[in-house]
Amino acid sequence: EAGVAQSPRYKIIEKRQSVAFWCNPISGHATLYWYQQILGQGPKLLIQFQNNGVVDDSQLPKDRFSAERLKGVDSTLKIQPAKLEDSAVYLCASSHSGSGGAGTQYFGPGTRLLVL
Amino acid sequence: GENVEQHPSTLSVQEGDSAVIKCTYSDSASNYFPWYKQELGKGPQLIIDIRSNVGEKKDQRIAVTLNKTAKHFSLHITETQPEDSAVYFCAARAGSARQLTFGSGTQLTVLP
């Protein structure tokens, strides 16, 4: 079974630029998550999708971050404009659950973002 | 919201010794407690989890214990090996629709 795929693996941008990350979850997984992991900290949930609907985006900085999962499979996370404090690893995870995320979460390798 | 505290932040043990990592949580409604292992440059990988209706769970050299009254849970790794070296995260969730809250991580180093 293929795991969660993410691209790009690394990205370096200057502040105020925009950036987008892509995630392809495990086939058949209805729930998809985006996490932000700052160096030395645990992952923090940004947004959770159930199919193509948002379940929880309470910790997403909506003035600069946006995410979509239009067809209920792949997802993209965008930052515009980026700030220095956005430097982090952005992790995508998916779980097989029809009830909003009760299943085990499987993580992708992450995208490492450096904002200069 | 939920708050998860994890200790210690770093832990060094000799190969073959045991390692214990402890976490406390704040939300008494939490009922699911997974542990993840994260190797350098990789995403977290689930190694064991426990639900609140169980006090202890074992999987070969790894075990997790849960004390609901005290709101703490622990990861025990026995007969440690160099390949156990990684960052370990605990997490807690209150209900299937609630978010997973992670601890701050423990860097485990197993010295050969």
Side-chain angles (χ1 to χ4, degrees):
Chain A
E1 181 181 72
V4 176
Q6 290 188 247
S7 67
R9 293 295 311 276
Y10 306 90
K11 192 73 176 180
I12 300 174
I13 62 172
E14 295 187 350
K15 60 183 179 183
R16 292 188 291 273
Q17 287 187 324
S18 63
V19 64
F21 312 126
W22 174 82
C23 173
N24 182 238
I26 293 173
S27 178
H29 281 195
T31 311
L32 184 146
Y33 315 78
W34 282 103
Y35 288 87
Q36 180 192 59
Q37 185 176 25
I38 293 173
L39 187 63
Q41 299 181 18
K44 183 187 82 171
L45 181 70
L46 293 175
I47 190 167
Q48 176 182 339
F49 291 95
Q50 177 70 15
N51 296 308
N52 60 351
V54 175
V55 174
D56 184 352
D57 64 355
S58 58
Q59 298 192 90
L60 186 73
K62 298 180 185 66
D63 58 334
R64 298 185 301 106
F65 286 65
S66 65
E68 60 182 15
R69 194 184 185 199
L70 294 176
K71 297 183 178 180
V73 180
D74 293 6
S75 177
T76 55
L77 176 69
K78 297 179 182 178
I79 308 175
Q80 183 179 12
K83 293 185 175 181
L84 297 178
E85 57 261 37
D86 297 332
S87 294
V89 176
Y90 291 85
L91 295 163
C92 179
S94 68
S95 67
H96 180 65
S97 168
S99 58
T104 298
Q105 294 186 27
Y106 297 90
F107 285 82
T111 295
R112 282 148 186 80
L113 174 67
L114 178 61
V115 182
L116 301 175
Chain B
E2 175 68 277
N3 182 48
V4 177
E5 295 190 357
Q6 182 171 348
H7 300 280
S9 57
T10 61
L11 178 61
S12 292
V13 299
Q14 289 294 136
E15 183 177 358
D17 286 351
S18 296
V20 180
I21 303 170
K22 299 181 179 182
C23 289
T24 60
Y25 60 97
S26 61
D27 189 345
S28 57
S30 289
N31 58 8
Y32 175 64
F33 308 92
W35 286 88
Y36 284 85
K37 174 183 180 182
Q38 187 172 27
E39 297 176 321
L40 196 62
K42 297 183 178 181
Q45 178 184 14
L46 179 73
I47 56 172
I48 195 167
D49 58 13
I50 191 168
R51 300 185 187 274
S52 58
N53 58 344
V54 175
E56 184 177 1
K57 183 176 179 180
K58 289 183 179 180
D59 183 5
Q60 299 183 342
R61 298 186 296 110
I62 294 174
V64 57
T65 58
L66 172 65
N67 182 328
K68 287 188 62 181
T69 303
K71 290 191 283 188
H72 69 70
F73 56 114
S74 300
L75 177 71
H76 304 254
I77 305 174
T78 59
E79 301 173 18
T80 53
Q81 301 167 3
E83 51 265 38
D84 294 329
S85 295
V87 179
Y88 290 80
F89 291 97
C90 63
R93 183 177 68 204
S96 62
R98 300 282 290 276
Q99 64 174 269
L100 207 54
T101 300
F102 285 81
S104 55
T106 296
Q107 173 69 61
L108 173 65
T109 302
V110 180
L111 304 170

